[in-house]
């Protein structure tokens, strides 16, 4: 069985991007690479919708989160995190590993953190920097990033956001949303293999980096050094040249379609998958479902792990299970990037339906396809 | 003009490795990837010649150096570095960025650090960890790593070595050399694009990691976490899957030839380049030339930068200039990896000869080719 990834990153990589990866990379201190980088820089600003600067690190998304913490948090910096899943929790873990003690606003996993609670917590506990999550991958939940950030901005608090599974998926406009620092990864909406972290730095973040303010310990992941060379392509250490070439191609694909159409397309595919899965007898885990990944609870008597295994065995569809406390409880269907379309929504929904029936969860063949078709009629999307 | 890299990393990537990069990568939490990783693990141990463990990080080589510092140096750890070039100096820079104050044993750039001086400095100043460099890329100098490490081992001092441009180039046997921690990068002897750091951890380093000893601050670059999962492929964060697939292919290429033949081949190519360049009127910068890269001083009246530009313009041969205090003073010809052979040695030497003549440095056409041929007759190498 040929595999097809329906995982929440890495995702299926379009052929155009694989071809870019197979190209002989130029030397990173050559004019060819500097031109590539200089050409990419303003387009990354457009992608993040920031007038600041986007830094590209050879690291996974977590490396970017780590860099964002040490760049803006030092001794005495007050921090607050919003946690409603594994990746919200990661902010706290990183902060604690550097000896900080953030105030954590928690919401039940599967729910979104109410913006009002961030405002309340900031009034009660104060903070200099807040750490937020846009699309929480572990629970397939979209947080109201703009409203969350507004609570912090209103109080003059710096906003750092994990947009790893929302960039190129959900509407995100860094400056307009009031996000000072936005961390993304390559293997999600950007459709690349893992290995790059992108950090969008708004004007206020850049000013803060330039100032003599406190910061944490960093050498390789030093955002200030990386930022100083972000526009010239003279990265402080050797960049992952092949992945940068592939990033250039990925951004081109997004530009060709237009970012708003990219967002719309993700909404169409995600809506169809949600409709199809529910028609197959599954329930949505999240109260605020993201368009990056869909988390399903199986019907009574069926185990999430069985569903995941069924799709892998029968169709080669690779879904993800739950993480941490959700291990064994949910099945997650990823649908980030332009490799996913109407056909995928239909095929994965039909496979989910077949799994539920085969595993004794009941149902009737054809309902999922019908629901997918109805959803696509309302929100169309190409294959 | 088609470009050909003669840079000291990244290097020309063999087609087999480019093809591996263009493959659709499996998900990193899948059985396919775990099998790939589990199969790769013992072969990396063989490559490093360690009974310990080799950790693969999604980062450039400097990320691996950073990780090695924070994993083994904490408050109160005594440190000593050997510095005779930009990369020896980088150990000091990293240590200082984390608030440490190493004792630095310096040698003139272009010379190797005498092992006896390390012994003397350890006796005088003491240290818990020493930081060494095997092949110093900035000066094209080979250090006597085994003898340097022996001085430390004799005194019970932990040895961390930068083998970035020696792994897969020069004889290196981690355990036998007495190196506890060896840091390598993907874009040198391993012939990959940049984006992976490899850290070989010997038994003593692993025991130290397991102990409750002091260490520095790290989250993404935490070697202990990475080491715990190094044998299972369950990396703490998303690995750079494409580069790991390509690494598998690179290690296979080295295995097919045999590591000793790989070392011999590098010696043959480097010897031929040195002979050719000298016959062309250039002088060797290093007193202890490495086989990874050759640094040339131009003849009087010719600028190193002119030589580099001449080869780029006329032949598309991309050389490197000098770094830091050697900027503008030397031209460096890289020849790491199996993409370089006898033809390259001849072509680059002839191009150097032509450049020297054209730039008014004198000489006679044909001498370089003759010297290369003589060298290859003594130390043969395929094209």
């Amino acid at each position: 069985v040929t595999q097809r990834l329906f995982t929440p990153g890495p995702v299926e990589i379009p052929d155009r991007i694989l071809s870019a990866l197979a190209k002989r990379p130029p030397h990173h201190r050559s004019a060819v690479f500097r031109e590539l980088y200089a050409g990419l820089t303003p387009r990354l600003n457009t992608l993040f919708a920031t007038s600041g600067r986007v830094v590209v690190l050879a690291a996974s998304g977590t490396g970017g989160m780590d860099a964002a913490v040490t760049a803006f948090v030092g001794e005495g910096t007050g921090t607050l995190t919003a946690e409603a899943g594994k990746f919200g929790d990661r902010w706290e873990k990183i902060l604690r590993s550097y000896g900080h003690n953030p105030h954590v606003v928690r919401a039940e996993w599967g729910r979104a953190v109410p913006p009002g609670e961030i405002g309340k917590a900031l009034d009660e506990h104060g903070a200099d920097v807040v750490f937020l999550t846009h699309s929480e991958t572990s629970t397939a939940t979209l947080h109201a990033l703009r409203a969350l950030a507004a609570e912090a901005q209103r109080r003059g608090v710096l906003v750092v956001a994990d947009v790893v599974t929302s960039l190129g998926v959900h509407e995100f406009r860094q400056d307009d949303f009031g996000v000072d620092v936005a961390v993304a990864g390559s293997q999600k909406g950007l459709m690349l293999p893992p290995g790059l972290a992108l950090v969008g730095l708004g004007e206020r973040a850049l000013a803060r980096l330039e100032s003599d303010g406190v910061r944490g310990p960093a050498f390789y992941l030093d955002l200030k050094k990386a930022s100083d060379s972000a526009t010239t392509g003279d990265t402080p250490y050797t960049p992952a040249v092949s992945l940068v070439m592939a990033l250039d191609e990925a951004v081109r694909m997004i530009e060709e379609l237009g970012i708003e159409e990219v967002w719309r397309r993700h909404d169409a595919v995600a809506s169809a998958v949600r409709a199809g899965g529910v028609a197959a007898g599954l329930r949505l885990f999240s109260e605020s479902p993201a368009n990056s990944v869909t988390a399903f609870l199986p019907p009574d008597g069926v185990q999430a792990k069985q569903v995941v295994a069924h799709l892998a065995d029968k169709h080669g569809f690779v879904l993800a299970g739950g993480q941490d406390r959700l291990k064994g409880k949910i099945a997650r269907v990823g649908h980030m990037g332009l490799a996913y379309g109407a056909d995928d929504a239909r095929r994965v929904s039909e496979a989910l339906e077949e799994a539920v029936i085969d595993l004794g969860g009941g149902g009737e063949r054809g309902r999922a396809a019908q629901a997918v078709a109805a959803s696509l009629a309302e929100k169309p999307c190409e294959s």
Side-chain angles (χ1 to χ4, degrees), chain A:
Chain A
V1 191
T2 318
Q3 286 203 340
R4 185 162 177 83
L5 298 183
F6 285 98
T7 39
V11 302
E12 284 292 331
I13 301 171
D15 289 336
R16 280 173 65 172
I17 291 176
L18 286 175
S19 301
L21 278 172
K23 274 188 199 153
R24 214 162 278 280
H27 194 263
H28 59 293
R29 303 293 182 222
S30 67
V32 179
F33 185 72
R34 284 200 191 91
E35 268 166 44
L36 171 76
Y37 212 94
L40 189 52
T41 298
R43 295 156 61 215
L44 291 176
N45 277 50
T46 303
L47 182 67
F48 279 72
T50 180
S51 61
R53 204 175 281 174
V54 180
V55 167
V56 182
L57 300 170
S60 83
T62 302
M65 293 171 77
D66 189 335
V69 165
T70 57
F72 298 101
V73 181
E75 219 182 302
T77 309
T79 53
L80 182 145
T81 69
E83 187 273 321
K86 180 187 165 83
F87 292 95
D89 182 55
R90 183 159 289 177
W91 283 126
E92 185 187 345
K93 284 211 163 68
I94 299 174
L95 284 161
R96 289 199 182 279
S97 84
Y98 288 108
H100 308 295
N101 187 17
H103 180 77
V104 181
V105 176
R106 297 187 199 283
E108 210 180 314
W109 285 30
R111 293 196 179 162
V113 174
E117 291 198 17
I118 295 290
K120 212 176 107 210
L122 283 173
D123 287 339
E124 279 171 22
H125 304 273
D128 303 300
V129 189
V130 298
F131 293 87
L132 306 172
T133 313
H134 194 189
S135 160
E136 169 58 60
T137 318
S138 65
T139 64
T141 297
L142 184 71
H143 285 86
L145 181 59
R146 190 200 292 254
L148 293 166
E151 295 289 338
Q153 292 291 350
R154 193 171 301 143
R155 291 162 177 89
V157 176
L158 197 83
V159 175
V160 180
D162 165 354
V163 298
V164 172
T165 57
S166 69
L167 184 79
V169 174
H170 273 282
E171 179 180 359
F172 171 66
R173 309 182 198 266
Q174 179 165 357
D175 292 352
D176 185 40
F177 274 41
V179 171
D180 297 297
V181 183
V183 180
S186 55
Q187 75 278 19
K188 313 286 184 174
L190 291 174
M191 306 170 277
L192 307 178
L196 291 184
L198 289 84
V199 185
L201 297 162
E203 304 283 358
R204 193 157 66 125
L206 286 172
R208 187 78 70 104
L209 274 186
E210 289 308 316
S211 78
D212 288 331
V214 291
R215 53 178 61 107
F219 188 84
Y220 176 68
L221 294 173
D222 184 338
L223 271 188
K224 175 154 169 42
K225 263 187 290 181
S227 161
D228 287 343
S229 65
T231 45
T232 61
D234 260 324
T235 56
Y237 312 111
T238 314
V241 184
S242 292
L243 289 170
V244 173
M245 289 195 302
L247 176 61
D248 184 71
E249 186 66 18
V251 174
R252 187 161 298 118
M253 287 178 72
I254 292 171
E255 289 165 348
E256 283 170 9
L257 210 57
I259 187 70
E260 289 179 10
E261 176 59 16
V262 170
W263 297 332
R264 202 203 57 71
R265 198 183 146 97
H266 278 90
D267 183 44
V269 174
S271 298
V273 169
R274 291 194 286 263
V278 167
L282 301 149
R283 283 166 302 139
L284 292 174
F285 175 73
S286 176
E287 290 188 357
S288 168
N291 292 339
S292 48
V293 51
T294 302
F296 287 116
L297 290 160
D300 291 340
V302 176
Q303 304 291 321
K305 279 187 177 177
Q306 294 176 300
V307 173
V308 172
H310 196 282
L311 268 73
D313 296 344
K314 281 264 186 144
H315 303 280
F317 294 167
V318 185
L319 273 59
Q323 295 171 297
D324 291 356
R325 72 183 77 160
L326 293 176
K327 210 162 240 181
K329 295 195 178 147
I330 55 172
R332 290 179 301 153
V333 182
H335 28 66
M336 281 175 275
L338 300 175
Y340 300 87
D343 271 356
D344 289 299
R346 187 181 46 71
R347 288 165 69 205
V348 80
S349 297
E350 286 180 334
L352 286 169
E353 181 177 69
E354 180 192 42
V356 169
I357 294 171
D358 286 0
L359 294 167
E364 199 182 305
R365 292 266 192 154
R367 283 181 188 168
Q370 212 173 338
V372 167
S375 176
L376 288 167
E378 206 171 304
K379 295 178 176 177
C381 170
E382 283 151 48
S383 292

